[in-house]
Structures are given as structure tokens and as C-alpha cells.
């Protein structure tokens, strides 16, 4: 017997439809609208649904099932990123007497071929001009560093205005006015 993922008690058909739509693009508001909720309240409903533990569990279960089915895993993803980050053009092309040739695809490993973004052959009178473009190695290295926690993007915002001080003073004036009123009564 096959157990269907996501047949939890307490989840309505409309909520189940929301989960299905949410998995399309991870846009809660759009998913709520596509699931049949009112466009005016879709943002609020999406927020509520995404914070509902039963619905969150259903989303997580379905995402795990999809990932397993298509072979997505953190290890495989990291391996593919590393292929691009550490790509070596010598594993893909040969240069002999100043002539560049691309190796046979059978001779290029799966990992090395994952680093190829584009191979372009342009015929000329002197012969074919071959252009091999690899993925953005710096971008791949940055991504690997982020995944491994080697560095994080941080944005520090400092309020250089006197807004915080002005708000504090305003709160004090309100408190003083309120306590003055209460002592007068």
C-alpha cells in the first residue's frame, strides 16, 4: 500500500491546494490567490498558513519527497558548485602548436563537464575558432564559502540622525504629561 504524502487530518482541501501552489514558486501571496483565497487578504492568509505547524510540516515533507525524487541533496549540490569553483580548463581542452581543440566529451569527466557554460564554434576561412566558457569561478567560490560558513554577508545600519534620541525624548514628554494629569486628578 502506498502512503500518500500530505494526508494530514485537520488540513482542508483549500489549504492542501495552497501547499501545492506554494511549492511551485515559494511565493505565499501568489500561492494563496491561486489556491482560491481572496486577493485582498492573500498576503495575510499566506502568512498565517506558512506559520501553521501542520501546513509547515506538510510543506517540509513534500519538499523532502521532491528533493529525494529528483536527486537533490546538500552533498550533490555542493559537489556541483565545487566543480565550477575548482574547474581546470586543461581537463576540457588541449592546445597543441597553438591550436585549441576540445577533448571528446567521453574523455571529459562528468564533474569537469559540469563546469562548462558554453562551447562555441565559429567557422572561418582559416578553420574553426573555438571558444570555451566556464562557469563563473569567483561566484562559485563565493557560494561555497557561504555554504561552509567561511564568511557571511552582513549589513550594518547605523542611524546617524537624532531620530532615536528624539523618539526617546518624545516618550518621556508623553510619560511626564500623563503623570502630571494623574496627579492633578
Amino acid at each position: 500500500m502506498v502512503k500518500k504524502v500530505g494526508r494530514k487530518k485537520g488540513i482542508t482541501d483549500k489549504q492542501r491546494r495552497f501547499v501545492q501552489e506554494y511549492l511551485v514558486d515559494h511565493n505565499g501571496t501568489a500561492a494563496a490567490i491561486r489556491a482560491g483565497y481572496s486577493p485582498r487578504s492573500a498576503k495575510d492568509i499566506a502568512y498565517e498558513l506558512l506559520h501553521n505547524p501542520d501546513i509547515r510540516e506538510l510543506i517540509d515533507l513534500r519538499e523532502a519527497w521532491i528533493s529525494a525524487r529528483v536527486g537533490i541533496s546538500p552533498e550533490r549540490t555542493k559537489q556541483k558548485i565545487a566543480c565550477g569553483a575548482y574547474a581546470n580548463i586543461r581537463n576540457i581542452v588541449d592546445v597543441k602548436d597553438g591550436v585549441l581543440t576540445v577533448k571528446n566529451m567521453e574523455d571529459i569527466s562528468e564533474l569537469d563537464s559540469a563546469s562548462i557554460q558554453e562551447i562555441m564554434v565559429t567557422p572561418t576561412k582559416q578553420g574553426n575558432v573555438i571558444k570555451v566558457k566556464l562557469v563563473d569561478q569567483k561566484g562559485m567560490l563565493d557560494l561555497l564559502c557561504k555554504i561552509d560558513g567561511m564568511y557571511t554577508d552582513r549589513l550594518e545600519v547605523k542611524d546617524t540622525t537624532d531620530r532615536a534620541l528624539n523618539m526617546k525624548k518624545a516618550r518621556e514628554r508623553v510619560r511626564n504629561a500623563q503623570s502630571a494629569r494623574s496627579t492633578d486628578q
Side-chain angles (χ1 to χ4, degrees):
M1 183 170 136
V2 177
K3 181 182 177 188
K4 290 199 175 192
V5 176
R7 293 290 176 203
K8 292 186 68 71
K9 295 177 181 173
I11 295 180
T12 67
D13 288 340
K14 199 173 197 180
Q15 290 170 331
R16 199 169 281 109
R17 173 81 176 151
F18 168 80
V19 170
Q20 185 179 1
E21 292 296 337
Y22 181 76
L23 292 173
V24 170
D25 57 8
H26 289 83
N27 180 329
T29 303
I33 293 168
R34 291 190 305 260
Y37 291 96
S38 164
R40 285 191 342 197
S41 58
K43 183 178 179 180
D44 295 329
I45 289 171
Y47 179 85
E48 288 177 26
L49 291 173
L50 290 171
H51 286 82
N52 177 316
D54 289 339
I55 291 175
R56 191 76 246 168
E57 182 182 354
L58 182 56
I59 289 170
D60 293 344
L61 278 171
R62 289 200 177 166
E63 283 181 334
W65 181 80
I66 291 167
S67 293
R69 186 162 183 199
V70 297
I72 297 172
S73 69
E75 296 80 19
R76 186 170 181 218
T77 301
K78 193 172 176 181
Q79 182 183 37
K80 290 290 186 181
I81 293 169
C83 290
Y86 299 114
N88 185 342
I89 192 74
R90 291 181 180 152
N91 296 335
I92 298 166
V93 299
D94 285 319
V95 179
K96 196 176 226 178
D97 299 326
V99 177
L100 177 92
T101 57
V102 178
K103 294 181 180 181
N104 287 327
M105 290 307 281
E106 295 84 26
D107 298 334
I108 300 173
S109 75
E110 183 182 341
L111 297 178
D112 286 328
S113 67
S115 66
I116 300 171
Q117 183 171 338
E118 175 183 22
I119 297 176
M120 201 164 84
V121 179
T122 307
T124 65
K125 290 179 183 177
Q126 292 80 22
N128 290 335
V129 175
I130 300 172
K131 176 185 173 187
V132 177
K133 183 177 179 182
L134 301 182
V135 296
D136 173 27
Q137 286 186 299
K138 182 188 177 309
M140 295 294 129
L141 284 169
D142 284 345
L143 194 51
L144 269 181
C145 289
K146 287 178 187 177
I147 290 170
D148 281 343
M150 291 180 185
Y151 63 82
T152 56
D153 291 334
R154 291 192 183 147
L155 176 64
E156 188 174 323
V157 178
K158 289 186 179 180
D159 188 356
T160 57
T161 66
D162 294 327
R163 187 176 306 132
L165 182 61
N166 291 340
M167 290 296 292
K168 184 178 178 183
K169 287 179 182 177
R171 277 190 224 103
E172 286 176 24
R173 284 194 303 269
V174 169
R175 270 191 237 112
N176 291 340
Q178 286 174 341
S179 49
R181 267 188 251 140
S182 65
T183 55
D184 289 343
Q185 294 175 359

